[in-house]
Amino acid sequence: MLEKVISVHFKLGLKYFQHGDNVKIKTLILLYLLSTSILATDKLAGCYKTIQIDGQDIVQGPNPENSESQVYTVHNEYYRDLETEQRLETMIISVFNGYNSPWYGFSNLVLPLSKGQWSITQDVVTFKMDEDLLYINSNYRRSKVDFLVNSSFTFKGNRVIADLYFSSLRRGLFYDFTVVLEKAVCL
């Protein structure tokens, strides 16, 4: 169903493109980006059990609900378009990375859905981005932040192998790891 919707949008976009209007070309590009990001969120969204990170088994905590990795989308309050200051729809990848009593550890990656380049095949979703965004912290302080992201998600049965690279020097964030996730029912 979703593929048919995207196909129709793409065909309509080609008709726009034939007219040569810059606004229509930008609309086509935006429509394409939104279509691929919709497919990506559809494939990835949900709850997972973390099996391994960088080849090491993960220690699960006593409360399974707190040991859950999740992928979800949110209309983000903190990350905005640098030029328009509009809130960005983002995919949050919250990876449970282990339990060390009494703490549950998580690595949280933010992927702006309308930025970067999405690529989707039957078994692999990739996202790459090297771009600046506006970040508004909880004290409403505004700053330009850098996002360098190179992520791929390979689907093998009920498992996802995610190679996650995320760097933001201005935010002081850096992640570079491979995680094996197993699809689970959300608790």
Side-chain angles (χ1 to χ4, degrees):
M1 174 67 179
L2 191 54
E3 287 84 3
K4 287 181 182 179
V5 171
I6 291 170
S7 176
V8 168
H9 284 146
F10 186 72
K11 288 176 184 173
L12 289 172
L14 287 177
K15 288 182 183 178
Y16 276 146
F17 186 73
Q18 292 169 351
H19 289 90
D21 185 13
N22 274 344
V23 173
K24 292 179 181 177
I25 292 171
K26 288 179 182 178
T27 302
L28 173 64
I29 291 168
L30 179 62
L31 187 58
Y32 172 76
L33 287 173
L34 290 175
S35 297
T36 54
S37 65
I38 288 169
L39 280 174
T41 57
D42 189 48
K43 272 186 105 113
L44 288 168
C47 298
Y48 298 88
K49 177 180 178 184
T50 305
I51 305 300
Q52 289 183 335
I53 294 181
D54 289 335
Q56 301 295 313
D57 292 342
I58 297 303
V59 176
Q60 303 295 316
N63 184 343
E65 191 172 313
N66 292 338
S67 300
E68 190 171 70
S69 293
Q70 294 184 2
V71 178
Y72 57 94
T73 59
V74 65
H75 206 66
N76 206 299
E77 295 286 327
Y78 301 106
Y79 293 102
R80 299 179 182 223
D81 184 272
L82 190 58
E83 294 177 16
T84 66
E85 296 191 13
Q86 291 183 349
R87 293 179 186 161
L88 295 175
E89 187 76 17
T90 57
M91 178 187 297
I92 308 297
I93 302 168
S94 182
V95 177
F96 172 69
N97 57 28
Y99 177 76
N100 187 4
S101 183
W103 311 112
Y104 292 82
F106 288 88
S107 298
N108 297 303
L109 287 80
V110 177
L111 306 182
L113 294 176
S114 61
K115 303 289 183 181
Q117 298 85 40
W118 290 93
S119 173
I120 301 169
T121 65
Q122 184 174 354
D123 297 329
V124 179
V125 172
T126 60
F127 176 74
K128 295 180 181 186
M129 178 180 168
D130 185 2
E131 195 171 331
D132 291 336
L133 300 175
L134 176 64
Y135 176 71
I136 301 176
N137 70 15
S138 57
N139 294 322
Y140 301 102
R141 184 173 157 220
R142 298 166 180 267
S143 57
K144 181 168 94 170
V145 295
D146 55 315
F147 263 57
L148 178 59
V149 183
N150 187 358
S151 301
S152 72
F153 307 87
T154 304
F155 297 87
K156 294 188 178 204
N158 66 341
R159 289 195 173 184
V160 177
I161 301 167
D163 289 312
L164 303 171
Y165 179 90
F166 175 90
S167 175
S168 177
L169 296 175
R170 293 185 195 120
R171 292 270 344 266
L173 298 172
F174 180 77
Y175 298 109
D176 185 9
F177 60 92
T178 299
V179 60
V180 177
L181 301 170
E182 187 172 86
K183 194 73 169 165
V185 175
C186 294
L187 301 174

